[in-house]
């Protein structure tokens, strides 16, 4: 099993450009998450999904959109990138059964720079 | 609301010595507590968790953590540190009162653990 994969690994954007980050998991997990990691701030939840076709806002959703058209994929979109969105983005997934107890599995991250 | 604090940005330990990485939390109900480790340029890896039961939890790579309800703490420990333990460690919490288990964890800011040869 590949676990959780993310593409691309690195990306540089200019202010105002758009892009989509792709997360894929092969563990048949129901729940998926997008976090951003900034120095000294830990991980902050952007959006999450409890199943195919459903998404919800997390702690810092502004400037981002998400879609979960297939159970195994969770897309994070930036419609008009801003320098404040320079960050490392992590995707994670979790089993639904006994979900409160389960640990999340993380992808390797996408390093995004917005100039 | 739930929150977690890691009071130390960095912890330095000599190889072979015991290590402790501190974590305190705040929740409305009972906590579910997790420790994750992040090696350079990698994603987070799960180390261990406390759900209920024995206050001493054992996890991967020889790490353990002690849950202390009265002090609202969940410190990560290892009896003998290795240079390869050097990494960024995150404590995370979710409240049993949080709905459905679907929402994400609340993470601390992370503690850099540096093991010196």
């Amino acid at each position: 099993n590949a676990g959780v994969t993310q593409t691309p690994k690195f990306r540089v954007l200019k202010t105002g450009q758009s892009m989509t980050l792709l997360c894929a998991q092969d563990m048949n997990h129901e729940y998926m998450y997008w976090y951003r990691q900034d120095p000294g701030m830990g991980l902050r939840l952007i959006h999450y999904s409890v199943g195919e076709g459903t998404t919800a806002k997390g702690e810092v959703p502004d400037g981002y959109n998400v879609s979960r058209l297939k159970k195994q994929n969770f897309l994070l979109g930036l419609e008009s990138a801003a320098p404040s969105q320079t960050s490392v983005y992590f995707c994670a997934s979790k089993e639904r059964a006994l979900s409160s107890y389960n640990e999340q599995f993380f992808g390797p991250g996408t390093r995004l720079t917005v100039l | 609301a739930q929150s977690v604090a890691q009071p130390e940005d960095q912890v330095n330990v000599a190889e072979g010595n015991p290590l402790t990485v501190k974590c305190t939390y705040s929740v409305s109900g009972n906590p579910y507590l997790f420790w994750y480790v992040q090696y350079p340029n990698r994603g987070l890896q799960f180390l261990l968790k406390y759900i209920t039961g024995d206050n001493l939890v054992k996890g991967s790579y020889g790490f353990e953590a002690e849950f202390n309800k009265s002090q609202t703490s969940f410190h990560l420990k290892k009896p003998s540190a290795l240079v390869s333990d050097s990494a960024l460690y995150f404590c995370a919490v979710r409240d049993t009162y949080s709905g459905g288990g679907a929402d994400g964890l609340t993470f601390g800011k992370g503690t850099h653990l540096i093991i010196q040869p």
Side-chain angles (χ1 to χ4, degrees):
Chain A
N1 288 347
V4 180
T5 59
Q6 294 181 232
T7 54
K9 289 185 170 56
F10 304 94
R11 186 72 185 267
V12 178
L13 291 178
K14 294 181 179 179
T15 298
Q17 288 184 318
S18 63
M19 78 163 294
T20 300
L21 282 67
L22 171 64
C23 175
Q25 53 94 6
D26 62 1
M27 297 174 282
N28 202 35
H29 287 170
E30 288 287 341
Y31 298 164
M32 296 187 75
Y33 308 84
W34 275 108
Y35 293 91
R36 59 178 289 172
Q37 182 182 26
D38 302 293
M41 300 188 72
L43 276 74
R44 293 181 291 169
L45 182 65
I46 304 172
H47 286 278
Y48 65 97
S49 169
V50 301
E52 184 177 322
T54 68
T55 63
K57 294 180 180 180
E59 180 186 356
V60 288
D62 294 343
Y64 305 96
N65 57 77
V66 288
S67 64
R68 184 99 180 267
L69 299 179
K70 294 182 179 181
K71 184 178 182 179
Q72 64 267 34
N73 295 338
F74 195 27
L75 278 63
L76 178 70
L78 286 73
E79 291 184 348
S80 179
S84 60
Q85 294 178 303
T86 294
S87 188
V88 181
Y89 292 86
F90 288 100
C91 177
S93 69
K94 184 172 77 169
E95 284 187 87
R96 180 179 183 177
L98 299 176
S99 60
S100 295
Y101 304 164
N102 294 335
E103 62 270 24
Q104 296 179 18
F105 291 81
F106 283 81
T110 294
R111 187 174 295 275
L112 175 66
T113 301
V114 182
L115 302 176
Chain B
Q2 58 197 36
S3 65
V4 61
Q6 293 180 242
E8 301 155 318
D9 291 335
Q10 183 169 307
V11 171
N12 295 285
V13 178
E15 187 176 25
N17 283 1
L19 69 88
T20 299
V21 182
K22 296 179 180 178
C23 171
T24 59
Y25 66 89
S26 175
V27 295
S28 300
N30 292 316
Y32 298 138
L33 293 155
F34 301 79
W35 276 102
Y36 286 84
V37 59
Q38 184 181 29
Y39 297 101
N41 301 313
R42 303 285 296 276
L44 277 70
Q45 296 178 30
F46 169 75
L47 274 180
L48 50 80
K49 64 184 175 184
Y50 171 83
I51 303 302
T52 187
D54 194 347
N55 290 342
L56 185 63
V57 178
K58 294 189 183 297
S60 306
Y61 312 120
F63 283 93
E64 57 190 27
E66 186 169 11
F67 172 66
N68 187 317
K69 188 171 184 178
S70 63
Q71 297 185 3
T72 62
S73 67
F74 189 55
H75 299 333
L76 181 70
K77 300 180 179 183
K78 188 173 182 181
S80 179
L82 300 172
V83 172
S84 58
D85 292 330
S86 298
L88 182 59
Y89 289 80
F90 289 98
C91 181
V93 67
R94 72 177 307 276
D95 194 332
T96 54
Y97 286 171
S98 297
D103 51 322
L105 297 169
T106 297
F107 285 84
K109 295 182 179 181
T111 299
H112 288 275
L113 177 63
I114 298 175
I115 309 300
Q116 295 154 333

